[in-house]
Amino acid sequence: MNSVKTLAIAAGLATAMVSNSSAEEITVSAWGGFFEETLKSAIYPGFTEETGIEVRSIAQPADQAWLTQLTNAARAKKAPADLSLVADEVFIRGQSIGLWANLDAADIPNTATLLDGFTKESEDGALNAVGALTWFTTFVTNTDAAPDAPTSWADLWTRDWDGKLGLTSNSNSGLIEATALTFFDGYDTMETREGLEQIIAKIAELKPQVQLWYRDEGQFQQSLEAGELAGGLYYHDVTMLSAADGRPVTSTFPQEGGILGDAYWIVPRDSKNIDAAEQFINYMIRPDIQAKLARNLGVAPVAKRETMDLTDEEFAAISTTGNAIRTQTAIHLREGDWLSDKYLEMISR
């Protein structure tokens, strides 16, 4: 059976499930601003048209504040939303305290079209989350200041950047993972504090080249576009949008891979509309909807490349088929304040 037929069957199953839910409306929360407004105007109406289920869209606060709200609501056996879009860290924290509903994988057949690693299960094998979207952090450069695109994360260390690198001061940016894969034994090196200290010491070698350790992403972008910075770590999609607007910037996926950030759909355990929520997830991960998300929001899809109709140019603007560096969220959570303090101590010395 070819992939097109498989998708057609999956779509048919999705349509067939419509009659299984009695919900007339579901509440869906997502990050606010342009992101939530675009989902509300360009994506959700298609779900309502196909299923008859209205979507009430709400903007959720920053990750930690939203997790606190979900936790407090669970204590009162309530769900502030039937579905929520959460980053990997929020998913892991919530799963550890039993916040998420168990989903029926048979009711979400379009998971067959997802890239590996985008379904999350509990310890006893129950489906707890499904991938929603991804984004990449890459090696970005000002093309006037650095005409030759880098090929490896090692270029951060081996080139003369004239003291004009910009790196985030967040220990969870993915630079630790990129350094571990480029110079050490990969993610295994991060399993011990001794290994993490070796990685941080390697990053400290960059300090003479770093002009800006940023928390303000807008400051980095502005400085890179102006040529005050020659390069650094930043979002691939935003950089490509800047390049399309004529700014002298470009984004490069190093041979070791871009740094992948990911988000998931979860259903709070006290939702009364789990069947409808499963229909919604099945719709959102469908390849044509993943392509629509990429075109409207610039996010990278979680569907397999061959299942979507994105042109090569469209796909290159938001993603890659090459390696991906996965942020080791569980290690960052386990080491918590210790790792953050060590990283900031390195920067401030």
Side-chain angles (χ1 to χ4, degrees):
M1 183 182 294
N2 63 38
S3 59
V4 173
K5 288 181 178 177
T6 302
L7 291 176
I9 291 172
L13 286 171
T15 303
M17 286 192 301
V18 170
S19 61
N20 292 337
S21 173
S22 59
E24 296 180 352
E25 179 183 272
I26 54 173
T27 301
V28 179
S29 73
W31 304 314
F34 168 79
F35 188 86
E36 188 245 346
E37 288 297 324
T38 302
L39 290 175
K40 189 165 57 176
S41 63
I43 306 298
Y44 297 162
F47 173 73
T48 300
E49 184 177 345
E50 291 187 15
T51 65
I53 301 172
E54 296 289 340
V55 176
R56 187 170 77 89
S57 178
I58 61 173
Q60 64 196 42
D63 287 352
Q64 187 53 50
W66 183 233
L67 181 60
T68 300
Q69 287 188 32
L70 290 167
T71 304
N72 291 338
R75 291 187 182 122
K77 300 190 181 306
K78 295 180 179 178
D82 294 306
L83 290 122
S84 186
L85 185 68
V86 298
D88 192 38
E89 180 175 335
V90 175
F91 165 73
I92 292 175
R93 287 181 181 274
Q95 188 184 46
S96 69
I97 54 177
L99 288 186
W100 316 137
N102 291 335
L103 304 174
D104 188 341
D107 287 342
I108 314 175
N110 287 334
T111 52
T113 66
L114 294 180
L115 295 165
D116 292 341
F118 284 104
T119 55
K120 300 281 191 179
E121 297 179 346
S122 63
E123 289 185 355
D124 57 3
L127 181 64
N128 275 171
V130 177
L133 54 92
T134 63
W135 63 90
F136 281 97
T137 299
T138 59
F139 199 156
V140 302
T141 49
N142 180 294
T143 53
D144 293 335
D148 297 328
T151 59
S152 165
W153 287 109
D155 283 10
L156 276 172
W157 283 262
T158 57
R159 284 198 195 182
D160 180 6
W161 295 95
D162 195 24
K164 293 182 177 178
L165 283 179
L167 300 176
T168 171
S169 60
N170 179 6
S171 62
N172 198 17
S173 69
L175 181 57
I176 287 178
E177 283 82 351
T179 306
L181 288 165
T182 305
F183 296 103
F184 298 94
D185 293 331
Y187 303 137
D188 287 347
T189 310
M190 297 176 61
E191 290 294 340
T192 65
R193 289 191 172 183
E194 181 183 10
L196 288 167
E197 288 180 324
Q198 291 174 347
I199 295 168
I200 292 172
K202 186 65 182 179
I203 295 172
E205 295 175 8
L206 295 172
K207 289 178 67 177
Q209 296 278 16
V210 177
Q211 178 177 313
L212 175 67
W213 294 92
Y214 69 89
R215 283 191 179 276
D216 183 340
E217 294 162 355
Q219 182 188 10
F220 174 83
Q221 182 180 348
Q222 186 176 31
S223 298
L224 183 74
E225 292 174 355
E228 296 165 3
L229 293 173
L233 270 73
Y234 198 53
Y235 298 124
H236 171 73
D237 54 341
V238 178
T239 304
M240 295 298 285
L241 288 173
S242 295
D245 285 340
R247 270 72 169 196
V249 295
T250 191
S251 168
T252 302
F253 284 90
Q255 63 191 23
E256 298 88 357
I259 299 163
L260 187 70
D262 42 16
Y264 297 82
W265 290 113
I266 58 88
V267 178
R269 71 184 185 202
D270 295 298
S271 168
K272 306 301 181 189
N273 296 309
I274 293 178
D275 288 346
E278 290 169 344
Q279 286 188 60
F280 179 86
I281 293 172
N282 201 47
Y283 171 82
M284 292 297 289
I285 63 174
R286 213 168 65 192
D288 61 315
I289 303 303
Q290 284 289 303
K292 196 171 183 179
L293 285 168
R295 292 184 175 112
N296 282 274
L297 285 167
V299 295
V302 291
K304 295 173 184 172
R305 172 75 178 92
E306 66 272 18
T307 65
M308 298 177 293
D309 64 352
L310 293 171
T311 66
D312 290 345
E313 184 178 9
E314 287 175 324
F315 188 76
I318 43 87
S319 190
T320 177
T321 55
N323 298 326
I325 297 174
R326 305 295 292 263
T327 304
Q328 302 300 292
T329 305
I331 294 175
H332 286 273
L333 288 172
R334 186 185 72 209
E335 298 299 345
D337 291 342
W338 176 87
L339 180 54
S340 180
D341 290 347
K342 283 288 181 182
Y343 200 78
L344 291 175
E345 181 183 323
M346 176 273 292
I347 293 172
S348 61
R349 277 180 189 160

